[in-house]
Amino acid sequence: MVTIDLITGFLGSGKTTFIKCYAKYLMDQGLNIGILENDFGAVNVDMLLLQELMGDKCELEMIAGGCDRETHRRRFRTKLIAMGMCGYDRVLVEPSGVYDVDEFFDVLRDEPLDRWYKIGNVITVVNAKLEPELSEMSEYLLASEAAHAGVVVLSRAEEAPEEEMQATITHLNRALEKVHCGRRLDQEIIRKGSLSLTDADFAKIQQCGYVQENYQKMDLTEENSFDTVYVMERKMTVEEILAGMKKIFADPSCGEVFRIKGFMQEENGSWIEVNATRHELQKQPIKEGQEILIVIGERLQEEKIRQYLN
């Protein structure tokens, strides 16, 4: 049977960075792996960020998004059936940051997947610099993704002082309490950023397993789920785009914007990856990109957002 791991985490938690490090560790152990990018969005930015992993021991697959949840679930199942025939030792699934983890368990209990796959681990990545105030739905997603985790990795822990890390852990446990989950996390938490994890850490993570927990479910519908706005083919300089992003976060008429991510191209043709929240903006060079920015949030006003980015 193929071992399958779910790597989950709230929007902007650092899942993709963790997967790059974890996948490299697994390949160094001689394993052949498949990575499935499982996103509800119509364009998958994270797929581009993982391209450097592709080779003899690693293949990337993705599910085309832009569809309703039931259709997306069927595509997820179909893709896993196809990947089950590829001879992988391990499959890593990176879902959307607004993913219902129970879907993962439900799909893998269906035939024939229950005969082909063995659930290995549920790994949850949480930003050590987690914002102290989140919306009701965001709190729910944070809790539901951590409730089943065999281990929680605090990404960016090297940037967070001890009191900020502890505040994040307290916040995480408070979110679990809000959904009436009896679990509280402590020993399962690794207080290291993905880039600081050692082989010993990854060996522990590789065997962490998962937990089946009960909690009060929230019905995720189109009305209460996150919105996404895709902005492509912009006629702006990098400086103008960055200035426009700051204005979007500052302007309440754009909606409750949680994150902006994507790629920008410099005048010399080089690419920049950008990942921004209300409180910080990260950018770094990347080998290849695509002219796209994705704005994620609640009650987004698309026309107003496009005014700042076009």
Side-chain angles (χ1 to χ4, degrees), residues 2-8 18 22 25-26 31 90-95 101 104-105 108 118-124 145 148-152 201-211:
V2 180
T3 301
I4 184 167
D5 291 346
L6 178 70
I7 293 92
T8 188
F18 172 81
Y22 184 42
Y25 167 80
L26 294 173
L31 300 182
R90 205 172 197 101
V91 168
L92 310 182
V93 176
E94 180 187 10
V101 178
F104 175 74
F105 292 108
L108 287 164
K118 175 181 68 175
I119 300 176
N121 309 302
V122 174
I123 303 160
T124 298
E145 291 171 349
H148 299 299
V151 73
V152 173
D201 294 322
F202 282 119
K204 176 182 176 181
I205 291 169
Q206 190 181 356
Q207 302 296 328
C208 71
Y210 60 94
V211 176

Side-chain angles (χ1 to χ4, degrees), residues 29-211:
Q29 308 308 304
L31 300 182
N32 293 313
I33 65 171
I35 300 176
L36 176 56
E37 285 288 313
N38 178 24
D39 203 327
F40 288 113
V43 181
N44 196 314
V45 168
D46 294 340
M47 189 77 171
L48 288 171
L49 301 177
L50 295 172
Q51 290 293 319
E52 65 188 63
L53 293 173
M54 289 187 66
D56 294 340
K57 290 188 174 297
C58 180
E59 295 182 4
L60 301 180
E61 298 284 350
M62 70 171 288
I63 298 172
C67 56
D68 63 82
R69 289 180 179 274
E70 190 56 41
T71 301
H72 183 272
R73 178 172 172 153
R74 290 198 300 270
R75 291 179 181 178
F76 180 39
R77 184 178 184 277
T78 300
K79 180 63 73 173
L80 286 177
I81 289 174
M83 293 180 73
M85 303 176 186
C86 294
Y88 299 123
D89 298 306
R90 205 172 197 101
V91 168
L92 310 182
V93 176
E94 180 187 10
S96 158
V98 291
Y99 184 71
D100 185 345
V101 178
D102 283 339
E103 177 184 319
F104 175 74
F105 292 108
D106 291 343
V107 169
L108 287 164
R109 291 189 184 107
D110 292 342
E111 291 187 350
L113 297 178
D114 60 342
R115 293 184 278 111
W116 296 355
Y117 287 96
K118 175 181 68 175
I119 300 176
N121 309 302
V122 174
I123 303 160
T124 298
V125 183
V126 175
N127 189 341
K129 300 172 72 66
L130 183 67
E131 293 191 36
E133 298 294 332
L134 297 175
S135 69
E136 181 182 4
M137 185 185 66
S138 299
E139 291 280 350
Y140 168 77
L141 291 167
L142 177 68
S144 65
E145 291 171 349
H148 299 299
V151 73
V152 173
V153 177
L154 286 188
S155 67
R156 301 182 63 189
E158 63 278 357
E159 302 173 27
E162 179 60 32
E163 57 269 22
E164 190 170 17
M165 270 195 289
Q166 191 55 52
T168 293
I169 295 169
T170 300
H171 186 169
L172 185 56
N173 284 321
R174 186 171 64 246
L176 289 168
E177 184 178 6
K178 283 182 180 178
V179 297
H180 305 290
C181 177
R183 189 176 188 198
R184 298 295 179 268
L185 296 163
D186 184 19
Q187 299 301 315
E188 306 90 343
I189 296 177
I190 297 179
R191 303 182 183 212
K192 285 185 179 182
S194 300
L195 299 177
S196 302
L197 294 171
T198 65
D199 283 357
D201 294 322
F202 282 119
K204 176 182 176 181
I205 291 169
Q206 190 181 356
Q207 302 296 328
C208 71
Y210 60 94
V211 176

